[in-house]
Amino acid sequence: MNLKDIFNFEKRDPGENRLSDFWYFFRRVRLNRTMVILGVLIAAAVAGIVFVFSHVDQNYDVLSTIENEDTQSSEYIQMGDDLLKYGNESASLLSQSGDTLWNQTYDMSDPSVSILGDTAVIYDRRGTSMYVVKMDGPVGPISTDFPIVKAEVTLSGSVATILEDGEKTWVNYYSFDGSLIVENQTRMENNGYPLDLAVSPDGTVIAVSYLVVDSGEISSHLVFYNFGQSGQGQVDNVVAEFTYEDTVVPDLVYFSGGTCVAFRDDGFSVFQGEDAPEESQNTGIDTQMISVFYNEEYFGIVTQGEEESYLMTLYDPEGRQQCSREFDMEYQNISVSGERIILWDSTQVEIYNLGGKLKFQGDILEGTVRNLFQMSRNRYLLISDEGIKMIRLAW
């Protein structure tokens, strides 16, 4: 039915309901207009979603500045929602607004830190002192008999260490009050030289990676010590051992749930099992590994990509791939903070989400970047050589 049919009264049957036809036509016109408007709205919504997910920020706003903070001689690391500041003479916990929540003095030459949840240990590399702290305050000092190579803290505040004593090394385990729980002496000609260690969150299992050199050939010996009930009947508390020929294992990390990841120079291995860990995944990487980065929920590996690019791959603790993304930025540091992967080089910064989408790409105008932490969805705590600032991205 068209407009001529509706309004041509002379040619219509007098019995037809002309008013009914009119409203039928009106409803048809209104329906078509509604469909057009709905289509426009849907198209606009789709375009908005595409814009949000494909948008890359290049600008940011400075929301606040923490005054009088020395970022030249101190290091800063995220601890929960706060910021742990540590240096040669003291450590303090700062809120996001810059308030000092607590302060602890000590004397160290080369301090480093290990954090797990709300607990941290600050230790003097090649020194003999450590200090355990929690978010609600300092816990206390720990002294060792030999220089510290590496220390790892547990949720309870106990600390596993690698100590160096000439040709001998020690893998010692201390309670948060400084008392020695267990000591284990190793020699280069026996187990090899310990490169790294990791301790399970509950403090029961310690994993140690030893480098073995025999007749000019190298291999890595990975040993799991269980200091709980399951390890009491084992020689030296050893519950699992693995050997990797012609391979170096320089880095170990324990995740929650009793999963340990060993980063090899040719890939990584995942170990699961609370009492006697077993290798659940062995992933080989046949391209050059550039960087390894991780937090308490994910780990990532950067390898050489095609031509001048790099390939960044993110995994969950079980070794399942979460994303893979090529990039060509020449970076100095890479980290995973909150729900973001952050790369920086001097003043240049790139930020990706956990799906590998680029969210920010630009230059920082507040000096050379020393660290950058995600504090909320679009707020970041910037540590630069000019101070500490809270910045906000648009998206």
Side-chain angles (χ1 to χ4, degrees):
M1 179 179 296
N2 54 38
L3 189 62
K4 182 177 179 181
D5 292 331
I6 294 176
F7 292 103
N8 191 355
F9 298 105
E10 291 78 12
K11 295 183 179 180
R12 291 177 57 87
D13 189 328
E16 290 186 3
N17 190 337
R18 297 184 178 89
L19 185 60
S20 174
D21 288 343
F22 173 80
W23 285 113
Y24 173 74
F25 171 78
F26 179 76
R27 286 195 298 270
R28 288 285 301 271
V29 171
R30 187 170 61 178
L31 178 61
N32 290 339
R33 186 175 62 180
T34 302
M35 294 299 293
V36 170
I37 294 174
L38 183 60
V40 171
L41 292 176
I42 292 175
V46 171
I49 293 173
V50 171
F51 174 78
V52 168
F53 282 93
S54 64
H55 179 75
V56 178
D57 269 326
Q58 294 180 320
N59 300 299
Y60 60 91
D61 298 320
V62 177
L63 300 181
S64 61
T65 300
I66 298 180
E67 301 293 345
N68 302 320
E69 282 301 322
D70 179 14
T71 58
Q72 298 288 347
S73 59
S74 298
E75 298 292 337
Y76 295 80
I77 189 167
Q78 188 174 1
M79 190 172 182
D81 292 330
D82 301 317
L83 199 62
L84 179 64
K85 171 188 175 182
Y86 64 97
N88 292 356
E89 299 178 350
S90 67
S92 57
L93 191 68
L94 306 178
S95 68
Q96 295 186 26
S97 60
D99 297 328
T100 300
L101 304 178
W102 53 256
N103 184 75
Q104 175 61 51
T105 59
Y106 51 68
D107 184 17
M108 297 185 186
S109 299
D110 186 14
S112 186
V113 68
S114 165
I115 291 182
L116 183 61
D118 65 348
T119 308
V121 61
I122 305 166
Y123 63 95
D124 194 6
R125 286 179 293 196
R126 304 300 172 181
T128 58
S129 63
M130 300 184 287
Y131 213 103
V132 178
V133 299
K134 285 183 172 290
M135 292 185 65
D136 56 5
V139 176
I142 298 176
S143 296
T144 64
D145 293 330
F146 306 105
I148 305 166
V149 177
K150 181 73 180 290
E152 289 288 333
V153 74
T154 69
L155 291 173
S156 67
S158 56
V159 181
T161 63
I162 295 176
L163 309 179
E164 193 170 55
D165 177 23
E167 294 297 320
K168 297 176 292 184
T169 57
W170 298 81
V171 178
N172 286 5
Y173 194 26
Y174 298 87
S175 174
F176 67 90
D177 61 6
S179 60
L180 183 63
I181 299 174
V182 67
E183 62 180 0
N184 183 16
Q185 183 189 110
T186 67
R187 287 183 176 273
M188 186 71 175
E189 62 267 24
N190 296 330
N191 288 349
Y193 182 82
L195 294 181
D196 197 21
L197 87 165
V199 58
S200 61
D202 64 0
T204 302
V205 180
I206 296 177
V208 182
S209 170
Y210 295 95
L211 177 64
V212 180
V213 181
D214 185 14
S215 302
E217 300 293 327
I218 67 168
S219 63
S220 288
H221 189 205
L222 187 58
V223 181
F224 288 88
Y225 303 90
N226 189 316
F227 296 106
Q229 189 65 36
S230 300
Q232 296 304 310
Q234 306 298 322
V235 177
D236 295 330
N237 297 91
V238 175
V239 292
E241 297 180 82
F242 305 87
T243 299
Y244 300 92
E245 302 292 343
D246 194 29
T247 302
V248 179
V249 182
D251 205 356
L252 301 171
V253 60
Y254 246 109
F255 295 92
S256 61
T259 299
C260 180
V261 176
F263 297 99
R264 314 187 311 266
D265 60 0
D266 62 351
F268 65 88
S269 295
V270 177
F271 300 89
Q272 293 181 306
E274 295 183 1
D275 295 330
E278 298 180 355
E279 188 180 53
S280 60
Q281 182 171 336
N282 185 319
T283 299
I285 297 177
D286 55 9
T287 55
Q288 182 183 359
M289 295 175 61
I290 308 298
S291 301
V292 170
F293 60 99
Y294 48 81
N295 64 0
E296 296 180 10
E297 298 181 26
Y298 301 96
F299 69 89
I301 297 174
V302 178
T303 57
Q304 191 67 51
E306 297 181 359
E307 299 180 353
E308 301 297 322
S309 69
Y310 300 100
L311 180 64
M312 169 179 65
T313 307
L314 188 71
Y315 302 88
D316 69 8
E318 284 71 39
R320 295 185 291 261
Q321 182 175 312
Q322 302 298 296
C323 74
S324 186
R325 169 69 186 250
E326 278 197 276
F327 65 94
D328 56 12
M329 174 183 170
E330 294 294 336
Y331 67 98
Q332 290 180 343
N333 293 278
I334 181 170
S335 68
V336 53
S337 176
E339 298 179 346
R340 295 292 184 264
I341 302 169
I342 304 173
L343 301 89
W344 67 91
D345 178 17
S346 184
T347 62
Q348 186 180 4
V349 171
E350 287 187 356
I351 300 176
Y352 297 82
N353 68 13
L354 298 182
K357 294 185 180 297
L358 182 63
K359 307 300 292 183
F360 176 86
Q361 183 180 54
D363 287 324
I364 299 298
L365 305 179
E366 281 69 36
T368 301
V369 178
R370 299 191 61 190
N371 221 324
L372 190 60
F373 308 107
Q374 185 189 30
M375 308 307 292
S376 63
R377 187 181 68 85
N378 62 347
R379 295 192 179 200
Y380 297 80
L381 204 56
L382 168 68
I383 316 296
S384 75
D385 58 352
E386 295 184 2
I388 303 175
K389 300 180 184 298
M390 183 71 75
I391 64 175
R392 179 180 61 194
L393 308 185
W395 297 92

